[in-house]
Amino acid sequence: MQRENLAIAFTPADSPASQMSEQVLVDRIRAGDSAAFDEVVRRHHERLIQFVYRVVNDPDDAADVAQETFIKAHRRFGEFRGHAGLFTWLYRIAYNESISLLRRRKLRSYLRLGSDGTVDQSWDPALSIDDDPTAEMESEQLQQQVEAAAAQLPPRQRAIFSMKHFEDMSHGDIARVLGRSEGAVRANYFHAVRKLRQYLSQTGLLDPQP
Amino acid sequence: MPNHLHPNHLHDDELIALASGEGEAPKHLKDCPRCALRFKEFERTLALTTTSMPQMEWNPLQSGGFMHQVRRGIELQSAPRPVPWWQPALGGAGLMLVVLLAFQAAVDQPALEQDSLLASESPDTIDFDEEGLSRILVDGSTGFEYGETVLNDEDDELLILIDAYLIDTATEDELMMSLGDLTEDGVGAAFDL
Ligand SMILES: [Zn+2]
């Protein structure tokens, strides 16, 4: 999907919709009010983009997946039952879209590379760490190490970690997003943290501070 | 008794839960240097990953363009779409792909399982199975349900994949020849997420 820098007349940020509760917005969208849907996009897109970014590890893909999430949400709004919050529902679509993208990426690289099963991991930040000794920014290096550590995790564990720590979502909500049991979410979370500890420990980042 | 088999030592999962702010620290954590050290490591792991995890740079000025794209996508999807000339042919190619993959997945299931197990040590990250693969290939669904909603069932993911492949390469014959080479290892690698 091409991104365009167009200044377009959109529902203004201070429109009446900006004051509406989620329930009112949902009712309005059901009644066909496009300004109400614009408001949903406006409220949630930045957080959703960050979430997708942590799962797919690529800024362009993250924006595309987030766009596709809202487009799909609009198309399927009639299926939103309101059992959980709107944001949880959007996360669910975004997570499925992210996994779908990662599968396409893997299969595409597989088809390109032939049948030896080798998978293109060029997107993986763990493989692109710059160990240039002249790198000055210590915090930048730290970020890279942390990013590399996170890249070791399977996408689902990245998603769980992100929802738990960056979205403060309960295990129950995370389970609803992923379509898994709470027990499975907990097990995945513990596994993710153990892996992160192991990776960071190997890089010396967990050594006692002087 | 070796230290790591000490019956009172806290399990890693308990330590992670405590470091994540769940529950009250038991007395053993204060008394046992081994558990205290491990707890500190998990605590520091979480502190580092939550404070230093990179964020995607997003300028609020980009939001206008983003919302425009969403609006345009919504408008496009409500407009009738022309069917490209090659789609009927791809319907046949897609069916062949499903048949080929289903056959190959069926002939060597133990190797497939082994591949999946090697791919991940997490008990809950192995969710690749024949049924799931067929479902993905046949209707684009990942099988996830949300309440009464089944997501992704309108995605013809297979068509997208073949579409992408055709754009990058040449003829349908070449596509079918490549697909004939697919091994279950490759299929596992492609779908084991
Ligand atoms: Zn202990």
Side-chain angles (χ1 to χ4, degrees), chain B residues 161-175:
Chain B
L161 291 169
I162 296 174
D163 178 18
Y165 187 76
L166 283 182
I167 289 167
D168 289 342
T169 57
T171 66
E172 197 180 314
D173 281 349
E174 282 178 15
L175 172 67

Side-chain angles (χ1 to χ4, degrees), chain B residues 19-96:
Chain B
S20 306
E22 293 174 25
E24 298 254 322
K27 187 174 175 296
H28 176 85
L29 193 57
K30 286 189 190 116
D31 300 340
C32 172
R34 182 255 181 208
C35 287
L37 175 68
R38 212 159 165 81
F39 172 73
K40 281 274 166 222
E41 286 187 354
F42 283 124
E43 218 177 29
R44 184 155 165 78
T45 296
L46 291 174
L48 280 174
T49 41
T50 51
T51 56
S52 299
M53 186 78 81
Q55 292 251 321
M56 179 169 151
E57 283 177 33
W58 186 262
N59 186 321
L61 292 174
Q62 291 172 267
S63 293
F66 179 88
M67 291 180 69
H68 169 73
Q69 289 292 352
V70 171
R71 175 57 53 208
R72 210 175 66 150
I74 289 168
E75 282 162 9
L76 280 176
Q77 77 179 1
S78 51
R81 283 189 297 177
V83 179
W85 62 268
W86 44 261
Q87 274 205 5
L90 279 182
L95 191 65
M96 276 300 290

Side-chain angles (χ1 to χ4, degrees), chain B residues 53-168:
Chain B
M53 186 78 81
Q55 292 251 321
M56 179 169 151
E57 283 177 33
W58 186 262
N59 186 321
L61 292 174
Q62 291 172 267
S63 293
F66 179 88
M67 291 180 69
H68 169 73
Q69 289 292 352
V70 171
R71 175 57 53 208
R72 210 175 66 150
I74 289 168
E75 282 162 9
L76 280 176
Q77 77 179 1
S78 51
R81 283 189 297 177
V83 179
W85 62 268
W86 44 261
Q87 274 205 5
L90 279 182
L95 191 65
M96 276 300 290
L97 173 64
V98 172
V99 171
L100 276 169
L101 293 182
F103 175 74
Q104 285 179 337
V107 290
D108 202 352
Q109 182 62 13
L112 184 62
E113 281 170 2
Q114 194 180 28
D115 181 58
S116 295
L117 287 168
L118 287 173
S120 170
E121 35 178 317
S122 163
D124 199 50
T125 53
I126 303 162
D127 58 358
F128 172 72
D129 56 43
E130 279 174 88
E131 192 196 339
L133 175 61
S134 304
R135 194 167 55 232
I136 291 159
L137 292 173
V138 170
D139 62 12
S141 160
T142 49
F144 298 123
E145 291 187 20
Y146 188 93
E148 298 143 65
T149 306
V150 177
L151 296 172
N152 279 351
D153 59 353
E154 283 180 30
D155 272 346
D156 194 346
E157 194 166 327
L158 180 63
L159 209 59
I160 298 168
L161 291 169
I162 296 174
D163 178 18
Y165 187 76
L166 283 182
I167 289 167
D168 289 342

